[in-house]
Amino acid sequence: LHARYVLQLLCETRRVLKVMPNISHLSTSYSKDITICGDLHGNLDDLLLIFSKNGLPSEQNCYVFNGDYVDRGKNSMEILIILFAFLLIYPNNLYLNRGNHEDYMMNLRYGFTKEVSKKYKV
């Protein structure tokens, strides 16, 4: 994805996240399943497998991602682009919790900063 569009996505995602509460209260009911995922660590194949088996996020298909989206794998940026796009489309049905790898120092140590610099020349 061209850097211009990534920047637009990041700005819009930031705007939406700023108005969302810090704590999300979710409930399962007879009509709603929730898929809980964690620790993708830049492995896009894992995210695509999850969506293949459980369906894409939608109003009827709620997801909670418990952090550690980035670092270690080679597709952290693609994972964030996909998750942020779904968050903008379904802000009440996709929840993104922050993990320890969504931290500046962890990103420096485990590769996300290098990935971003390589894919989007600073």
Side-chain angles (χ1 to χ4, degrees):
L1 193 59
H2 190 277
R4 176 184 319 132
Y5 303 118
V6 172
L7 187 58
Q8 282 181 305
L9 178 72
L10 293 175
C11 289
E12 186 62 20
T13 302
R14 181 175 189 228
R15 186 188 67 75
V16 168
L17 288 172
K18 285 178 87 170
V19 298
M20 293 179 91
N22 284 332
I23 297 174
S24 301
H25 298 277
L26 303 175
S27 174
T28 57
S29 67
Y30 296 111
S31 62
K32 197 171 201 179
D33 291 332
I34 298 176
T35 301
I36 300 173
C37 308
D39 294 57
L40 293 168
H41 286 292
N43 191 339
L44 183 59
D45 289 339
D46 286 352
L47 179 62
L48 297 177
L49 180 63
I50 290 166
F51 287 158
S52 172
K53 289 185 177 258
N54 297 300
L56 294 174
S58 68
E59 290 180 6
Q60 295 76 34
N61 199 15
C62 186
Y63 276 87
V64 175
F65 287 91
N66 279 326
D68 291 359
Y69 319 115
V70 301
D71 290 327
R72 298 186 181 140
K74 62 182 180 175
N75 295 112
S76 296
M77 198 63 212
E78 290 80 1
I79 287 174
L80 285 181
I81 289 168
I82 291 168
L83 292 179
F84 287 170
F86 276 122
L87 177 70
L88 294 177
I89 296 167
Y90 301 110
N92 298 316
N93 302 96
L94 187 120
Y95 300 88
L96 300 175
N97 295 324
R98 183 174 174 254
N100 66 316
H101 280 267
E102 284 71 52
D103 174 76
Y104 177 74
M105 291 308 293
M106 295 293 275
N107 293 163
L108 282 174
R109 179 176 293 148
Y110 291 103
F112 181 58
T113 303
K114 188 181 285 187
E115 178 187 334
V116 172
S117 297
K118 183 179 175 184
K119 290 180 179 176
Y120 298 97
K121 309 288 187 256
V122 178

